[in-house]
Amino acid sequence: MSNKLLAPDGWLVLGLPWPEQTQDGWGECAVAIAPTMIPRHLVSKGAGIALDLATGLARDPNDGPGKAVFFSDVTLWLDKQGKDWADFGADYEAVIDELVKAPVPQLYMTLVQKAHAILCDASRDGVRLYYPGGDVEHVTPQVSADVHAAITTSLERDWPPYIQGLIDRGALHAQ
């Protein structure tokens, strides 16, 4: 069996709306997919571009965030190139919606709200978090890198048994 199924080169992590129901401040608010596992004929051109860019960023030691590439990382990378999703004829919300609904292995993730905000942030200067007591936190690149690292660690731990379970049930065929 290909080790690429159990340990892909990287993941594209999509932020979902923050859920109404949470448990001790944690909510199921993200989904991870492995771009290299998704045949491009299953998705639109825009979604294929997102998957290809995420794969490239996961492999890029200079510009990439590591193995867990957030959709917002791809958007920010495009911005740094002077481009946006419209340059590819794609609506980023439609691309996210399509990828979430795609018939491919997807691992749902539970995060705290701060990590969710960082996951969804594509701003050039980093997100500012406003707290009820009036405090404001400007998320530093180090905090963002820490969230990427934590999500990568979670995926490296949880993805292999998830995929192995799909294989064992016959829902995914290893080739």
Side-chain angles (χ1 to χ4, degrees):
M1 173 191 356
S2 171
N3 193 37
K4 294 292 183 187
L5 292 177
L6 299 176
D9 291 338
W11 296 273
L12 177 57
V13 184
L14 308 164
L16 304 173
W18 183 253
E20 290 182 26
Q21 298 288 336
T22 61
Q23 175 105 17
D24 298 323
W26 291 79
E28 188 176 89
C29 60
V31 63
I33 57 177
T36 56
M37 290 178 64
I38 301 172
R40 296 308 185 259
H41 72 274
L42 289 180
V43 297
S44 69
K45 178 184 172 190
I49 289 169
L51 295 170
D52 291 342
L53 290 173
T55 299
L57 283 172
R59 294 175 178 163
D60 187 333
N62 299 319
D63 286 335
K67 288 178 70 173
V69 176
F70 303 164
F71 192 87
S72 60
D73 295 326
V74 178
T75 301
L76 186 56
W77 183 86
L78 286 173
D79 180 66
K80 289 178 182 175
Q81 310 311 309
K83 299 195 179 301
D84 62 25
W85 288 104
D87 291 326
F88 298 99
D91 173 316
Y92 75 93
E93 290 177 343
V95 169
I96 291 170
D97 189 54
E98 177 184 352
L99 291 172
V100 168
K101 293 177 180 174
V104 299
Q106 303 175 354
L107 184 62
Y108 282 79
M109 302 183 75
T110 302
L111 305 172
V112 295
Q113 197 164 16
K114 179 177 178 177
H116 179 255
I118 293 167
L119 165 70
C120 296
D121 176 47
S123 66
R124 293 177 184 153
D125 300 322
V127 68
R128 284 185 168 68
L129 303 173
Y130 295 86
Y131 295 97
D135 290 338
V136 178
E137 177 185 0
H138 182 213
V139 174
T140 64
Q142 183 58 56
V143 171
S144 182
D146 291 346
V147 170
H148 276 91
I151 288 176
T152 298
T153 298
S154 176
L155 287 167
E156 288 174 339
R157 178 194 66 224
D158 297 340
W159 187 264
Y162 164 66
I163 295 298
Q164 189 62 57
L166 292 176
I167 293 168
D168 292 349
R169 289 193 313 274
L172 181 66
H173 300 284
Q175 297 185 19

